[in-house]
Amino acid sequence: MKAAFELAQRDGAAGLTMRRLGEELKVDATTLYRLFRDRDELLLAVHDHATAVELEEIGEVPDSEHWQDTLRRIADRIWATAVRSPAIAALTFARTTGGPAERRMVELILETFARSGLSREATVRY
């Protein structure tokens, strides 16, 4: 994932192909098809990796942190990722990965909204 992410950052989303990633890793591209069904699945995995990086950058959320400050930090990290990797952000903006990092991010956002005092239903809606 690290190599695919770096390749996408360096060469843009169009540069992220199985062949190019295979060259980068010094493996035959067919090897990558054992891990990813197609380029789209690879792209979503790269997006989930980017979300994992965002979560690392956000770090632990102290209990004392105001919920609005937490949301600002989350938004800041997501924006920073989009600036670092605009092509990936553009191709995956409205997509869901279903990956572990995305699930952790959703949980963090839900927990943050819950701290605002919203009802459970409003928390999920917003």
Side-chain angles (χ1 to χ4, degrees):
M1 286 299 33
K2 184 178 178 186
F5 187 73
E6 289 171 358
L7 179 62
Q9 279 187 305
R10 187 179 68 233
D11 298 341
L16 180 58
T17 66
M18 297 296 202
R19 183 184 58 76
R20 302 249 344 254
L21 182 57
E23 289 170 1
E24 194 85 8
L25 296 172
K26 297 180 182 20
V27 299
D28 191 86
T30 58
T31 302
L32 299 171
Y33 284 102
R34 292 184 187 135
L35 302 170
F36 304 100
R37 181 180 56 242
D38 54 24
R39 180 180 177 269
D40 189 58
E41 191 172 278
L42 172 63
L43 189 61
L44 291 177
V46 168
H47 181 62
D48 197 64
H49 174 76
T51 302
V53 171
E54 292 164 356
L55 287 164
E56 286 176 25
E57 292 172 349
I58 292 166
E60 290 296 316
V61 176
D63 292 335
S64 61
E65 184 172 75
H66 194 275
W67 67 271
Q68 290 172 323
D69 293 332
T70 304
L71 284 180
R72 282 186 193 97
R73 287 198 307 127
I74 293 168
D76 179 60
R77 292 298 84 215
I78 292 170
W79 180 257
T81 299
V83 169
R84 280 191 307 249
S85 303
I88 295 296
L91 289 173
T92 60
F93 176 73
R95 307 277 311 272
T96 57
T97 68
E102 181 181 74
R103 288 192 299 273
R104 287 194 326 267
M105 181 66 84
V106 168
E107 288 300 318
L108 174 59
I109 293 169
L110 288 173
E111 290 166 6
T112 302
F113 273 116
R115 291 191 348 245
S116 74
L118 291 171
S119 69
R120 289 178 65 130
E121 288 137 0
T123 295
V124 172
R125 184 175 33 249
Y126 295 113

PDB file of all heavy atoms in Angstrom, residues 34-59:
ATOM      1  N   ARG A  34      -3.605 -11.019  -7.814  1.00  0.00           N
ATOM      2  CA  ARG A  34      -3.930 -11.990  -6.768  1.00  0.00           C
ATOM      3  C   ARG A  34      -4.383 -11.268  -5.496  1.00  0.00           C
ATOM      4  O   ARG A  34      -5.070 -11.837  -4.665  1.00  0.00           O
ATOM      5  CB  ARG A  34      -2.726 -12.867  -6.462  1.00  0.00           C
ATOM      6  CG  ARG A  34      -2.372 -13.782  -7.600  1.00  0.00           C
ATOM      7  CD  ARG A  34      -1.236 -14.704  -7.244  1.00  0.00           C
ATOM      8  NE  ARG A  34      -0.830 -15.437  -8.427  1.00  0.00           N
ATOM      9  CZ  ARG A  34       0.430 -15.607  -8.789  1.00  0.00           C
ATOM     10  NH1 ARG A  34       1.403 -15.122  -8.056  1.00  0.00           N
ATOM     11  NH2 ARG A  34       0.712 -16.274  -9.875  1.00  0.00           N
ATOM     12  N   LEU A  35      -3.952 -10.019  -5.377  1.00  0.00           N
ATOM     13  CA  LEU A  35      -4.297  -9.218  -4.194  1.00  0.00           C
ATOM     14  C   LEU A  35      -5.480  -8.291  -4.436  1.00  0.00           C
ATOM     15  O   LEU A  35      -6.249  -8.005  -3.512  1.00  0.00           O
ATOM     16  CB  LEU A  35      -3.082  -8.384  -3.772  1.00  0.00           C
ATOM     17  CG  LEU A  35      -1.818  -9.163  -3.450  1.00  0.00           C
ATOM     18  CD1 LEU A  35      -0.635  -8.220  -3.300  1.00  0.00           C
ATOM     19  CD2 LEU A  35      -2.025  -9.986  -2.189  1.00  0.00           C
ATOM     20  N   PHE A  36      -5.604  -7.799  -5.661  1.00  0.00           N
ATOM     21  CA  PHE A  36      -6.649  -6.840  -6.014  1.00  0.00           C
ATOM     22  C   PHE A  36      -7.343  -7.308  -7.286  1.00  0.00           C
ATOM     23  O   PHE A  36      -6.680  -7.642  -8.260  1.00  0.00           O
ATOM     24  CB  PHE A  36      -6.059  -5.442  -6.240  1.00  0.00           C
ATOM     25  CG  PHE A  36      -5.286  -4.935  -5.056  1.00  0.00           C
ATOM     26  CD1 PHE A  36      -3.905  -5.005  -5.041  1.00  0.00           C
ATOM     27  CD2 PHE A  36      -5.945  -4.416  -3.958  1.00  0.00           C
ATOM     28  CE1 PHE A  36      -3.178  -4.551  -3.944  1.00  0.00           C
ATOM     29  CE2 PHE A  36      -5.238  -3.962  -2.851  1.00  0.00           C
ATOM     30  CZ  PHE A  36      -3.849  -4.027  -2.847  1.00  0.00           C
ATOM     31  N   ARG A  37      -8.651  -7.303  -7.267  1.00  0.00           N
ATOM     32  CA  ARG A  37      -9.435  -7.757  -8.414  1.00  0.00           C
ATOM     33  C   ARG A  37      -9.129  -6.925  -9.653  1.00  0.00           C
ATOM     34  O   ARG A  37      -9.009  -7.448 -10.748  1.00  0.00           O
ATOM     35  CB  ARG A  37     -10.921  -7.679  -8.060  1.00  0.00           C
ATOM     36  CG  ARG A  37     -11.860  -8.138  -9.136  1.00  0.00           C
ATOM     37  CD  ARG A  37     -13.339  -8.031  -8.734  1.00  0.00           C
ATOM     38  NE  ARG A  37     -13.678  -6.672  -8.337  1.00  0.00           N
ATOM     39  CZ  ARG A  37     -14.109  -6.324  -7.118  1.00  0.00           C
ATOM     40  NH1 ARG A  37     -14.263  -7.233  -6.185  1.00  0.00           N
ATOM     41  NH2 ARG A  37     -14.392  -5.073  -6.836  1.00  0.00           N
ATOM     42  N   ASP A  38      -8.997  -5.596  -9.456  1.00  0.00           N
ATOM     43  CA  ASP A  38      -8.739  -4.695 -10.575  1.00  0.00           C
ATOM     44  C   ASP A  38      -8.162  -3.386 -10.042  1.00  0.00           C
ATOM     45  O   ASP A  38      -7.962  -3.229  -8.835  1.00  0.00           O
ATOM     46  CB  ASP A  38     -10.011  -4.450 -11.395  1.00  0.00           C
ATOM     47  CG  ASP A  38     -11.183  -3.962 -10.546  1.00  0.00           C
ATOM     48  OD1 ASP A  38     -10.955  -3.387  -9.455  1.00  0.00           O
ATOM     49  OD2 ASP A  38     -12.335  -4.144 -10.975  1.00  0.00           O
ATOM     50  N   ARG A  39      -7.921  -2.458 -10.941  1.00  0.00           N
ATOM     51  CA  ARG A  39      -7.332  -1.172 -10.562  1.00  0.00           C
ATOM     52  C   ARG A  39      -8.243  -0.406  -9.599  1.00  0.00           C
ATOM     53  O   ARG A  39      -7.775   0.267  -8.690  1.00  0.00           O
ATOM     54  CB  ARG A  39      -7.059  -0.335 -11.810  1.00  0.00           C
ATOM     55  CG  ARG A  39      -6.445   1.015 -11.495  1.00  0.00           C
ATOM     56  CD  ARG A  39      -6.209   1.804 -12.785  1.00  0.00           C
ATOM     57  NE  ARG A  39      -5.697   3.119 -12.492  1.00  0.00           N
ATOM     58  CZ  ARG A  39      -6.464   4.190 -12.311  1.00  0.00           C
ATOM     59  NH1 ARG A  39      -7.774   4.085 -12.383  1.00  0.00           N
ATOM     60  NH2 ARG A  39      -5.923   5.353 -12.045  1.00  0.00           N
ATOM     61  N   ASP A  40      -9.547  -0.514  -9.794  1.00  0.00           N
ATOM     62  CA  ASP A  40     -10.487   0.182  -8.926  1.00  0.00           C
ATOM     63  C   ASP A  40     -10.357  -0.304  -7.488  1.00  0.00           C
ATOM     64  O   ASP A  40     -10.358   0.501  -6.551  1.00  0.00           O
ATOM     65  CB  ASP A  40     -11.918  -0.004  -9.431  1.00  0.00           C
ATOM     66  CG  ASP A  40     -12.888   0.882  -8.688  1.00  0.00           C
ATOM     67  OD1 ASP A  40     -12.702   2.123  -8.710  1.00  0.00           O
ATOM     68  OD2 ASP A  40     -13.829   0.353  -8.080  1.00  0.00           O
ATOM     69  N   GLU A  41     -10.239  -1.591  -7.314  1.00  0.00           N
ATOM     70  CA  GLU A  41     -10.065  -2.137  -5.965  1.00  0.00           C
ATOM     71  C   GLU A  41      -8.738  -1.656  -5.360  1.00  0.00           C
ATOM     72  O   GLU A  41      -8.674  -1.340  -4.171  1.00  0.00           O
ATOM     73  CB  GLU A  41     -10.121  -3.659  -6.005  1.00  0.00           C
ATOM     74  CG  GLU A  41     -10.224  -4.282  -4.615  1.00  0.00           C
ATOM     75  CD  GLU A  41     -10.479  -5.767  -4.686  1.00  0.00           C
ATOM     76  OE1 GLU A  41     -11.645  -6.149  -4.855  1.00  0.00           O
ATOM     77  OE2 GLU A  41      -9.503  -6.540  -4.566  1.00  0.00           O
ATOM     78  N   LEU A  42      -7.708  -1.583  -6.165  1.00  0.00           N
ATOM     79  CA  LEU A  42      -6.424  -1.043  -5.712  1.00  0.00           C
ATOM     80  C   LEU A  42      -6.575   0.418  -5.297  1.00  0.00           C
ATOM     81  O   LEU A  42      -6.086   0.830  -4.253  1.00  0.00           O
ATOM     82  CB  LEU A  42      -5.363  -1.177  -6.806  1.00  0.00           C
ATOM     83  CG  LEU A  42      -4.021  -0.495  -6.544  1.00  0.00           C
ATOM     84  CD1 LEU A  42      -3.325  -1.105  -5.330  1.00  0.00           C
ATOM     85  CD2 LEU A  42      -3.138  -0.574  -7.786  1.00  0.00           C
ATOM     86  N   LEU A  43      -7.286   1.186  -6.102  1.00  0.00           N
ATOM     87  CA  LEU A  43      -7.499   2.603  -5.811  1.00  0.00           C
ATOM     88  C   LEU A  43      -8.237   2.784  -4.484  1.00  0.00           C
ATOM     89  O   LEU A  43      -7.872   3.637  -3.666  1.00  0.00           O
ATOM     90  CB  LEU A  43      -8.272   3.254  -6.955  1.00  0.00           C
ATOM     91  CG  LEU A  43      -8.400   4.757  -6.940  1.00  0.00           C
ATOM     92  CD1 LEU A  43      -7.033   5.424  -7.002  1.00  0.00           C
ATOM     93  CD2 LEU A  43      -9.263   5.211  -8.106  1.00  0.00           C
ATOM     94  N   LEU A  44      -9.253   1.976  -4.237  1.00  0.00           N
ATOM     95  CA  LEU A  44      -9.976   2.060  -2.965  1.00  0.00           C
ATOM     96  C   LEU A  44      -9.088   1.653  -1.792  1.00  0.00           C
ATOM     97  O   LEU A  44      -9.173   2.240  -0.712  1.00  0.00           O
ATOM     98  CB  LEU A  44     -11.238   1.210  -3.011  1.00  0.00           C
ATOM     99  CG  LEU A  44     -12.336   1.719  -3.942  1.00  0.00           C
ATOM    100  CD1 LEU A  44     -13.514   0.758  -3.965  1.00  0.00           C
ATOM    101  CD2 LEU A  44     -12.777   3.121  -3.569  1.00  0.00           C
ATOM    102  N   ALA A  45      -8.219   0.690  -2.006  1.00  0.00           N
ATOM    103  CA  ALA A  45      -7.279   0.300  -0.946  1.00  0.00           C
ATOM    104  C   ALA A  45      -6.300   1.434  -0.654  1.00  0.00           C
ATOM    105  O   ALA A  45      -5.963   1.683   0.507  1.00  0.00           O
ATOM    106  CB  ALA A  45      -6.532  -0.970  -1.351  1.00  0.00           C
ATOM    107  N   VAL A  46      -5.864   2.143  -1.686  1.00  0.00           N
ATOM    108  CA  VAL A  46      -4.985   3.299  -1.493  1.00  0.00           C
ATOM    109  C   VAL A  46      -5.722   4.381  -0.710  1.00  0.00           C
ATOM    110  O   VAL A  46      -5.166   4.999   0.201  1.00  0.00           O
ATOM    111  CB  VAL A  46      -4.460   3.834  -2.846  1.00  0.00           C
ATOM    112  CG1 VAL A  46      -3.794   5.189  -2.683  1.00  0.00           C
ATOM    113  CG2 VAL A  46      -3.501   2.836  -3.460  1.00  0.00           C
ATOM    114  N   HIS A  47      -6.982   4.579  -1.039  1.00  0.00           N
ATOM    115  CA  HIS A  47      -7.786   5.569  -0.312  1.00  0.00           C
ATOM    116  C   HIS A  47      -7.925   5.171   1.160  1.00  0.00           C
ATOM    117  O   HIS A  47      -7.825   6.022   2.050  1.00  0.00           O
ATOM    118  CB  HIS A  47      -9.154   5.718  -0.968  1.00  0.00           C
ATOM    119  CG  HIS A  47     -10.032   6.723  -0.318  1.00  0.00           C
ATOM    120  ND1 HIS A  47      -9.719   8.061  -0.241  1.00  0.00           N
ATOM    121  CD2 HIS A  47     -11.224   6.600   0.312  1.00  0.00           C
ATOM    122  CE1 HIS A  47     -10.672   8.713   0.397  1.00  0.00           C
ATOM    123  NE2 HIS A  47     -11.596   7.832   0.744  1.00  0.00           N
ATOM    124  N   ASP A  48      -8.146   3.895   1.430  1.00  0.00           N
ATOM    125  CA  ASP A  48      -8.242   3.445   2.817  1.00  0.00           C
ATOM    126  C   ASP A  48      -6.914   3.644   3.534  1.00  0.00           C
ATOM    127  O   ASP A  48      -6.877   4.031   4.702  1.00  0.00           O
ATOM    128  CB  ASP A  48      -8.684   1.974   2.891  1.00  0.00           C
ATOM    129  CG  ASP A  48      -9.190   1.609   4.272  1.00  0.00           C
ATOM    130  OD1 ASP A  48     -10.218   2.171   4.692  1.00  0.00           O
ATOM    131  OD2 ASP A  48      -8.546   0.768   4.936  1.00  0.00           O
ATOM    132  N   HIS A  49      -5.816   3.423   2.813  1.00  0.00           N
ATOM    133  CA  HIS A  49      -4.489   3.668   3.390  1.00  0.00           C
ATOM    134  C   HIS A  49      -4.334   5.143   3.740  1.00  0.00           C
ATOM    135  O   HIS A  49      -3.812   5.486   4.802  1.00  0.00           O
ATOM    136  CB  HIS A  49      -3.393   3.229   2.420  1.00  0.00           C
ATOM    137  CG  HIS A  49      -2.013   3.581   2.869  1.00  0.00           C
ATOM    138  ND1 HIS A  49      -1.365   2.882   3.872  1.00  0.00           N
ATOM    139  CD2 HIS A  49      -1.168   4.573   2.494  1.00  0.00           C
ATOM    140  CE1 HIS A  49      -0.176   3.431   4.073  1.00  0.00           C
ATOM    141  NE2 HIS A  49      -0.042   4.458   3.251  1.00  0.00           N
ATOM    142  N   ALA A  50      -4.795   6.032   2.855  1.00  0.00           N
ATOM    143  CA  ALA A  50      -4.725   7.471   3.119  1.00  0.00           C
ATOM    144  C   ALA A  50      -5.531   7.818   4.367  1.00  0.00           C
ATOM    145  O   ALA A  50      -5.102   8.644   5.188  1.00  0.00           O
ATOM    146  CB  ALA A  50      -5.231   8.255   1.918  1.00  0.00           C
ATOM    147  N   THR A  51      -6.665   7.168   4.541  1.00  0.00           N
ATOM    148  CA  THR A  51      -7.480   7.393   5.743  1.00  0.00           C
ATOM    149  C   THR A  51      -6.743   6.914   6.988  1.00  0.00           C
ATOM    150  O   THR A  51      -6.788   7.563   8.032  1.00  0.00           O
ATOM    151  CB  THR A  51      -8.844   6.689   5.602  1.00  0.00           C
ATOM    152  OG1 THR A  51      -9.500   7.189   4.431  1.00  0.00           O
ATOM    153  CG2 THR A  51      -9.725   6.941   6.818  1.00  0.00           C
ATOM    154  N   ALA A  52      -6.026   5.803   6.874  1.00  0.00           N
ATOM    155  CA  ALA A  52      -5.234   5.314   8.007  1.00  0.00           C
ATOM    156  C   ALA A  52      -4.156   6.323   8.385  1.00  0.00           C
ATOM    157  O   ALA A  52      -3.898   6.560   9.580  1.00  0.00           O
ATOM    158  CB  ALA A  52      -4.606   3.961   7.670  1.00  0.00           C
ATOM    159  N   VAL A  53      -3.532   6.932   7.386  1.00  0.00           N
ATOM    160  CA  VAL A  53      -2.524   7.966   7.645  1.00  0.00           C
ATOM    161  C   VAL A  53      -3.171   9.150   8.352  1.00  0.00           C
ATOM    162  O   VAL A  53      -2.617   9.694   9.318  1.00  0.00           O
ATOM    163  CB  VAL A  53      -1.825   8.400   6.336  1.00  0.00           C
ATOM    164  CG1 VAL A  53      -0.952   9.620   6.554  1.00  0.00           C
ATOM    165  CG2 VAL A  53      -1.011   7.237   5.762  1.00  0.00           C
ATOM    166  N   GLU A  54      -4.350   9.552   7.892  1.00  0.00           N
ATOM    167  CA  GLU A  54      -5.070  10.654   8.546  1.00  0.00           C
ATOM    168  C   GLU A  54      -5.328  10.332  10.019  1.00  0.00           C
ATOM    169  O   GLU A  54      -5.121  11.183  10.893  1.00  0.00           O
ATOM    170  CB  GLU A  54      -6.404  10.917   7.845  1.00  0.00           C
ATOM    171  CG  GLU A  54      -6.274  11.468   6.469  1.00  0.00           C
ATOM    172  CD  GLU A  54      -7.542  11.382   5.645  1.00  0.00           C
ATOM    173  OE1 GLU A  54      -8.563  10.812   6.107  1.00  0.00           O
ATOM    174  OE2 GLU A  54      -7.514  11.891   4.519  1.00  0.00           O
ATOM    175  N   LEU A  55      -5.768   9.112  10.294  1.00  0.00           N
ATOM    176  CA  LEU A  55      -6.044   8.717  11.678  1.00  0.00           C
ATOM    177  C   LEU A  55      -4.778   8.763  12.533  1.00  0.00           C
ATOM    178  O   LEU A  55      -4.820   9.196  13.688  1.00  0.00           O
ATOM    179  CB  LEU A  55      -6.673   7.326  11.724  1.00  0.00           C
ATOM    180  CG  LEU A  55      -8.122   7.268  11.264  1.00  0.00           C
ATOM    181  CD1 LEU A  55      -8.531   5.839  10.973  1.00  0.00           C
ATOM    182  CD2 LEU A  55      -9.041   7.905  12.295  1.00  0.00           C
ATOM    183  N   GLU A  56      -3.664   8.334  11.962  1.00  0.00           N
ATOM    184  CA  GLU A  56      -2.393   8.418  12.685  1.00  0.00           C
ATOM    185  C   GLU A  56      -2.044   9.867  12.989  1.00  0.00           C
ATOM    186  O   GLU A  56      -1.587  10.186  14.088  1.00  0.00           O
ATOM    187  CB  GLU A  56      -1.267   7.784  11.871  1.00  0.00           C
ATOM    188  CG  GLU A  56      -1.294   6.280  11.823  1.00  0.00           C
ATOM    189  CD  GLU A  56      -0.201   5.730  10.917  1.00  0.00           C
ATOM    190  OE1 GLU A  56       0.824   6.417  10.708  1.00  0.00           O
ATOM    191  OE2 GLU A  56      -0.376   4.606  10.417  1.00  0.00           O
ATOM    192  N   GLU A  57      -2.256  10.740  12.007  1.00  0.00           N
ATOM    193  CA  GLU A  57      -1.949  12.153  12.201  1.00  0.00           C
ATOM    194  C   GLU A  57      -2.875  12.797  13.225  1.00  0.00           C
ATOM    195  O   GLU A  57      -2.466  13.691  13.971  1.00  0.00           O
ATOM    196  CB  GLU A  57      -2.033  12.896  10.862  1.00  0.00           C
ATOM    197  CG  GLU A  57      -0.942  12.501   9.895  1.00  0.00           C
ATOM    198  CD  GLU A  57      -1.111  13.085   8.498  1.00  0.00           C
ATOM    199  OE1 GLU A  57      -2.202  13.648   8.189  1.00  0.00           O
ATOM    200  OE2 GLU A  57      -0.163  12.988   7.702  1.00  0.00           O
ATOM    201  N   ILE A  58      -4.126  12.371  13.270  1.00  0.00           N
ATOM    202  CA  ILE A  58      -5.071  12.887  14.264  1.00  0.00           C
ATOM    203  C   ILE A  58      -4.651  12.429  15.655  1.00  0.00           C
ATOM    204  O   ILE A  58      -4.680  13.203  16.609  1.00  0.00           O
ATOM    205  CB  ILE A  58      -6.510  12.427  13.947  1.00  0.00           C
ATOM    206  CG1 ILE A  58      -6.998  13.107  12.666  1.00  0.00           C
ATOM    207  CG2 ILE A  58      -7.452  12.719  15.121  1.00  0.00           C
ATOM    208  CD1 ILE A  58      -8.259  12.496  12.080  1.00  0.00           C
ATOM    209  N   GLY A  59      -4.245  11.199  15.759  1.00  0.00           N
ATOM    210  CA  GLY A  59      -3.796  10.658  17.042  1.00  0.00           C
ATOM    211  C   GLY A  59      -4.947  10.452  18.014  1.00  0.00           C
ATOM    212  O   GLY A  59      -6.118  10.454  17.634  1.00  0.00           O
TER     213      GLY A  59
END
